[in-house]
Amino acid sequence: MRIQCDKAKYAKYGATMKKEIFINESLGETRIAILEEDRLVEVYVEKKGQQRMVGNIYKGKVENVIPGMQAAFVDIGYGVNAFLPFSEIHNGEFLMADVEKEDSKSNNNNHDNGNIEVDLHTGQEIFVQIIKEPFANKGPRVTTEIAIPGRLLVLVPNVNYIGISKKLWDKYERRRLKKIANKLRTKDFGLIIRTVAEGKTEEQITNDFEMLVKHWNKLEKKAKNSDAPALIYEDLETASSVIRDLLTTDVSKITIDTKRLYNKINNYLEDVSPNLTERLQYYKLRSPLFESMGIEAEIAKLMTPRVKLKSGAYLVIEKTEAMVVVDVNSGRFIGKQLHEQNSLKINIEAAKEIARQLRLRDLSGLIVIDFIDLREQENQKKVYNELRNELKKDRAKVAVAPISEFGLLEMTRQRIRLSLLDSMTEECPTCHGAGQIISKETLITRIDHWLRRYKTKHRNLRLNLYLHPEIEEYLRLHKKKALRGLMWKNFVHINIEPKNNVPRDKFEFYTKSDGKNVTNALEIENFIT
C-alpha cells in the first residue's frame, strides 16, 4: 500500500528552522542555493538562453488527439509538441457531457474503464500552461487549468472556488483570510491563498489580487491579437520565482552577487512585501560567493554518484532513463553492536541523507532504494518511518511504499524540472551517455578487424594510423609485439601518430601516398554495393 506523505502535519517542522538563500549570477548561468541550518538542501540552475518553461501560458493548437493514450499533443511553438493528458483537461467546454449512470452501465461507457472522453479536434485552439519541463526527447507537459501565481494569492480563471494552503494551521487566521478572499472573488475567478499570506493585511492581499487581475487582462488581450501557437504569459525567471515562492518568515537572509539581479529583486519586494527588503544583501567581496560559503564544493560532490556518510558507510546514486537506483553500502563502518543493530544504524543514517540528496539533485520519477538487509520487521518499519519523516521537508509530492520482501523500498517523487545533473552537464561525445568506453585491448581488436576487411578490397601497403595521444603512447610502450604482429599478419606497414582530436575509443587510417582518409571507406563501399 502506498502512503502519501502528509506535509501539512509536518509544516511546523520548518517554522523555526534557520533558512538562507544565496544567488549567484555569472555569464553562463544563474544558480540559487538554499541552506537550512547552514546545510545545503536545494540547488536551482538556470542557463542563459534556456530559461525555465514551467508556469508559462500558451495559446496552442491541437495537433493530435489519441484516445488510446488518453492524451492529446498540442503545438505551442516549441520544437516538440506539448503533452496534454486527458486527466489535465479541467475545462468543461473540452469534456464530453456526463451521461446517466444507467446508460453508462448498459452501454459499457468510458466511466467503467476509467477512460475520459474529450471534445477536442485537430487544429483547435486551446490555452495551456506548462507544469513540467521538457526532458530528453519528450515535450513539456501541460494542463488546461490556468493558474497565475502572485506573492500572496494564486489566481485561477474560469473556476469557482477558494483554496487555502494546508500549511496555514490557525483556524481563526484561515477564517479571516477566507473572508477577505470572498470579498475579492468574482464569478470569473477562483483564488488560492498562499502560506505567506498569513498575517498580511486586507490591503496587501487586495493589492496582490488587483495585480493578478491586471496580468490576466493583459494576457487575454495579447491572446486575442496573437495567432496560435504563441506565448502569451511568461512566468518569472528562476531567481525571482524562488523569491516569490520561498521567501517566508523563516528566511533570515537573501544574498545576491550581481547588482542587476539585486536591484530587480529589491524592486519586486518593494512592490509586494516592503518589510522583507531588509533581508536582502548585496555581496561585494571579490572572492566568488559560492566558494566563500563552501557551496561550490558541495555542488561538485553532487556531480558524482557516491555520497559518503559520517559513519564511514556510503550511498551510490545512479540515474537511469527508467528510474533512480540508490544503493546503501556499509563501507568502512565497524559497529560495536550485533549485525542487525549495526545495519539499522547505517540505514537510519542513510534514510536521512537519501531524502536530502533527492532534494539536492532534484531526482524524480520512480526511485528504488536498496537498504542493507534487516531481518526484523520492526527495524524495517523504523527505517521506513525515518525516510517518510525526512521526506516531509520536501516541497515536491512524494509517495512511499513499505520495504518489500526483497529488502527494496520503492517511492515516487514529482518531476517539475530537470535534475541538477541534467541541468549542469552535457552528454559525453565519446561515451554518449554510457559512462564507459571500450578498453585499449578491444580497440586493438577493432583495428585488426578493420585491416582484415581493408585488405580484401585494397592493395595499398602503407598506412598512417592516428590515435588519441594516450592510446598511442600505450601502444608504443606496451604493445610493440602486438603491432608488429598486426603488420605481418595483414602484410601492411603502419606508421602510428598521436592526434588530439581523435576520441580515446576511435582510430583513423590514412593512406601514406596521398593522405586520403580511408577509415570509413569500407562502410561507404558496402552501402554502395
Side-chain angles (χ1 to χ4, degrees):
M1 179 177 128
R2 292 187 182 273
I3 301 175
Q4 293 283 346
C5 286
D6 186 359
K7 293 185 175 62
K9 291 183 180 179
Y10 205 69
K12 290 183 177 179
Y13 183 93
T16 58
M17 184 175 288
K18 177 190 172 187
K19 188 182 290 185
E20 296 176 281
I21 298 175
F22 296 89
I23 303 177
N24 158 241
E25 187 178 41
S26 64
L27 293 174
E29 58 192 15
T30 301
R31 299 183 297 174
I32 302 105
I34 299 173
L35 275 66
E36 291 177 357
E37 300 297 337
D38 297 322
R39 199 173 187 213
L40 187 66
V41 293
E42 288 184 54
V43 179
Y44 299 88
V45 177
E46 182 176 74
K47 295 179 182 178
K48 300 291 183 183
Q50 274 188 319
Q51 292 188 346
R52 71 174 199 152
M53 297 178 70
V54 168
N56 290 355
I57 300 172
Y58 293 81
K59 182 180 182 182
K61 186 180 290 185
V62 177
E63 285 289 305
N64 293 301
V65 181
I66 309 175
M69 287 181 63
Q70 284 287 282
F73 291 91
V74 182
D75 179 10
I76 61 171
Y78 184 67
V80 183
N81 288 335
F83 179 68
L84 174 62
F86 289 173
S87 59
E88 290 292 346
I89 297 177
H90 302 283
N91 305 48
E93 61 181 303
F94 301 130
L95 295 171
M96 299 289 281
D98 289 337
V99 296
E100 296 288 336
K101 286 185 179 181
E102 294 82 4
D103 293 341
S104 68
K105 288 179 182 178
S106 59
N107 297 332
N108 194 22
N109 183 280
N110 58 339
H111 297 280
D112 282 344
N113 55 27
N115 284 345
I116 300 171
E117 288 189 3
V118 299
D119 186 17
L120 288 176
H121 57 268
T122 302
Q124 184 175 359
E125 293 186 349
I126 185 173
F127 288 105
V128 291
Q129 185 168 32
I130 294 180
I131 54 176
K132 284 186 181 179
E133 296 281 352
F135 176 70
N137 295 322
K138 297 178 181 178
R141 185 178 176 126
V142 295
T143 180
T144 64
E145 186 173 40
I146 305 300
I148 304 175
R151 170 72 179 146
L152 309 177
L153 304 171
V154 177
L155 188 73
V156 189
N158 305 317
V159 298
N160 189 26
Y161 66 77
I162 292 175
I164 302 178
S165 169
K166 291 179 180 179
K167 293 182 180 181
L168 287 169
W169 277 75
D170 190 290
K171 65 179 181 180
Y172 298 107
E173 179 65 3
R174 291 175 67 89
R175 193 180 300 165
R176 182 186 76 88
L177 292 172
K178 192 168 185 179
K179 188 177 179 181
I180 295 171
N182 270 318
K183 287 182 184 178
L184 297 173
R185 188 177 63 85
T186 67
K187 292 181 180 179
D188 298 329
F189 300 113
L191 286 175
I192 298 172
I193 301 170
R194 308 186 74 169
T195 309
V196 289
E198 184 175 15
K200 298 296 186 291
T201 65
E202 183 173 348
E203 183 184 1
Q204 289 174 309
I205 295 171
T206 302
N207 290 339
D208 200 50
F209 173 76
E210 290 174 351
M211 183 186 68
L212 290 173
V213 172
K214 283 181 183 177
H215 282 320
W216 173 248
N217 291 336
K218 286 181 182 177
L219 185 154
E220 282 193 308
K221 186 177 180 181
K222 186 175 181 180
K224 287 178 183 177
N225 299 323
S226 303
D227 295 325
L231 171 64
I232 56 174
Y233 172 80
E234 188 169 12
D235 199 14
L236 298 174
E237 62 183 323
T238 300
S240 299
S241 67
V242 165
I243 299 300
R244 179 191 66 197
D245 299 338
L246 299 183
L247 186 52
T248 51
T249 54
D250 57 344
V251 176
S252 60
K253 185 171 62 175
I254 308 151
T255 306
I256 304 171
D257 67 357
T258 63
K259 201 68 177 177
R260 182 198 74 85
L261 202 53
Y262 172 83
N263 290 334
K264 184 175 182 178
I265 292 176
N266 187 62
N267 292 336
Y268 171 74
L269 289 179
E270 284 181 348
D271 288 338
V272 296
S273 297
N275 59 311
L276 295 177
T277 55
E278 61 186 23
R279 302 185 194 183
L280 206 59
Q281 294 184 6
Y282 175 53
Y283 181 79
K284 298 179 180 178
L285 300 180
R286 289 190 175 183
S287 59
L289 172 61
F290 275 26
E291 285 188 14
S292 64
M293 297 304 302
I295 298 171
E296 200 70 60
E298 287 293 310
I299 292 176
K301 292 178 185 177
L302 298 176
M303 298 296 103
T304 63
R306 182 173 290 207
V307 181
K308 294 179 181 179
L309 303 179
K310 287 183 180 179
S311 63
Y314 64 92
L315 310 174
V316 177
I317 303 173
E318 294 286 354
K319 182 178 176 294
T320 71
E321 190 167 342
M323 68 180 73
V324 175
V325 181
V326 184
D327 186 30
V328 181
N329 292 278
S330 57
R332 296 183 291 102
F333 177 80
I334 302 174
K336 297 179 181 180
Q337 298 175 314
L338 297 175
H339 176 74
E340 180 80 3
Q341 292 304 311
N342 289 337
S343 298
L344 175 62
K345 186 176 180 180
I346 294 172
N347 284 340
I348 292 290
E349 183 187 16
K352 293 178 181 178
E353 186 60 29
I354 288 169
R356 175 173 172 262
Q357 289 292 324
L358 295 182
R359 288 177 68 190
L360 274 171
R361 297 170 186 242
D362 214 347
L363 298 170
S364 56
L366 178 61
I367 300 165
V368 177
I369 305 169
D370 184 11
F371 285 106
I372 296 173
D373 290 342
L374 294 169
R375 293 183 179 180
E376 298 178 19
Q377 285 193 350
E378 184 181 347
N379 289 334
Q380 291 182 4
K381 195 170 182 181
K382 286 180 182 178
V383 175
Y384 166 73
N385 288 334
E386 185 68 34
L387 180 65
R388 281 193 64 214
N389 287 337
E390 290 296 319
L391 287 170
K392 288 171 185 173
K393 303 173 188 176
D394 197 341
R395 292 185 302 112
K397 294 177 183 177
V398 297
V400 189
I403 296 175
S404 71
E405 60 181 306
F406 300 110
L408 302 175
L409 184 143
E410 297 175 5
M411 63 170 286
T412 59
R413 185 175 183 272
Q414 178 189 22
R415 182 177 77 83
I416 297 175
R417 62 186 68 82
L418 296 178
S419 70
L420 185 67
L421 191 66
D422 290 323
S423 297
M424 297 187 69
T425 62
E426 295 177 354
E427 185 179 85
C428 171
T430 300
C431 73
H432 300 289
Q436 293 181 308
I437 58 173
I438 61 171
S439 67
K440 300 178 183 71
E441 288 73 19
T442 301
L443 183 63
I444 294 171
T445 301
R446 290 187 177 180
I447 293 171
D448 182 18
H449 291 172
W450 185 93
L451 285 169
R452 292 187 191 185
R453 294 197 309 273
Y454 181 77
K455 286 299 293 180
T456 59
K457 295 190 176 183
H458 299 272
R459 296 191 177 277
N460 198 316
L461 303 181
R462 302 179 70 82
L463 297 170
N464 285 333
L465 171 60
Y466 292 95
L467 297 166
H468 185 278
E470 188 176 318
I471 305 299
E472 183 271 338
E473 183 182 27
Y474 171 77
L475 294 183
R476 179 166 43 82
L477 297 179
H478 304 288
K479 293 291 180 180
K480 283 186 177 180
K481 284 187 178 181
L483 288 172
R484 280 199 294 267
L486 275 178
M487 287 190 273
W488 277 108
K489 185 166 63 175
N490 295 288
F491 202 64
V492 292
H493 180 269
I494 302 172
N495 181 47
I496 300 178
E497 296 286 345
K499 192 175 181 181
N500 287 321
N501 62 352
V502 177
R504 293 164 61 94
D505 63 341
K506 301 291 182 183
F507 58 87
E508 291 181 1
F509 272 108
Y510 287 78
T511 55
K512 201 165 185 180
S513 56
D514 55 8
K516 183 180 178 183
N517 188 338
V518 292
T519 314
N520 299 318
L522 301 177
E523 296 176 11
I524 296 170
E525 289 169 5
N526 289 337
F527 177 76
I528 294 172
T529 55

